[in-house]
Every structure is written in structure tokens, then in C-alpha cells.
Amino acid sequence: MRQLEPARSHVGGSAFAGFRFPPEVITVAVRWYLRYGLSYRDVEELLAERGIDVDHVTVYRWVQRFTPLFADAARPARHATGDRWFVDETYVKVAGRWRYLYRAVDQYGQVIDVLLSEQRDTAAARRFFIRALAHGPAAVEVTTDEAGPYLRVLDELTRPPRTSPSSTATTAPKPIMLG
């Protein structure tokens, strides 16, 4: 009779080497913290109710260490980038200095890209859209606040490429409609 192997965590076993607690406990604690927005002390209390004595500082260290690993493991399970984008920018204070934060979100609410810039100009919008377009297929529709830099850059990036008179084949990009 064939024996079943125990279920393995999505994060490689070597990432847990040297920790006192089993990978399953660490995984559950970090997932509770990330998924349910609990405090470190709340996670400590939930683990204590299950007979696991761990300090909230330890939970903090686990979250700092394993969150990037879990994010990388979950990335393939994300939706493919949608074809309708919602783009906007806002003014935020970062380290005491005001900056523009550009963000594109698709129709599923999945963040496509984010860019922090000192300027709100055509060059910043171009950098943002070039990076966002690198994440997958071009959007069929982009909804913006119709700011001037957005319109110029989108027009520039979606304009059909110029072809020489001797060229017979052209490829037209997907249209982007502003609304």
C-alpha cells in the first residue's frame, strides 16, 4: 500500500531552517496576520488558545521574514491583468516631502503598477505607462481623470507605428478609449 506524503507548504522548507516552531505554525500565524488584519498580539493570543506559546515579537519577525516569500508564492495564482484599467494619481507625503503617486488598477481591483514621482508631468506619465504596459497585454480601455499628460502619453503609446512605403504588413495596437 502506498503512503501519502504530508502536505508541504508553498514556501520551500529551507526557508524555515533554524526556527524553533514547525513551518505549519509559522505559516498559519503569518497568514492570519496578513489575511485578517490582526495585530501581533491578537495572533499571539489565537496561537495560545491552540496551545502554542509564542511571543508577539516572534510573530512580528515571522511576518517580516516570510511575507515576501508568501507574496512570491502567491503571484502565479493572481488573475491575468484585465483589459480595462483605471488610472489616477494622488499627492502624498513621503519622508516629509510631497510626491505624486500614480496607480493603475484593472477591472478586478488588481493593482497593475504604482509609481512615485517628484513631478506630475508628461515624462512621469510616460514612465508610468511604459512600466504598466510591461505587465501584460495593453488595455482596451483606460479610464482617467483626463489630465493632459495622460492624454498625450496614451496617444503617443497607442499610435500605430509608421511604416515605410515598401512595407506591406502593419500591426495595429489595441485601441485605448478614454472615458
Side-chain angles (χ1 to χ4, degrees), residues 70-150:
F70 291 149
D72 289 342
R75 191 159 285 123
R78 293 175 64 186
H79 288 284
T81 302
D83 61 353
R84 291 183 321 193
W85 295 2
F86 301 90
V87 178
D88 203 5
E89 80 284 335
T90 189
Y91 206 45
V92 296
K93 198 176 235 185
V94 178
R97 302 185 71 175
W98 288 99
R99 301 283 187 249
Y100 289 96
L101 180 68
Y102 291 83
R103 186 172 86 141
V105 178
D106 69 6
Q107 71 260 32
Y108 305 114
Q110 180 172 290
V111 176
I112 297 166
D113 200 14
V114 176
L115 174 74
L116 192 65
S117 174
E118 290 184 24
Q119 304 288 325
R120 181 183 184 230
D121 58 4
T122 304
R126 183 177 295 109
R127 277 194 321 273
F128 173 68
F129 277 110
I130 288 172
R131 281 180 37 168
L133 288 168
H135 289 286
V140 173
E141 178 182 342
V142 176
T143 303
T144 72
D145 58 2
E146 297 187 17
Y150 287 156

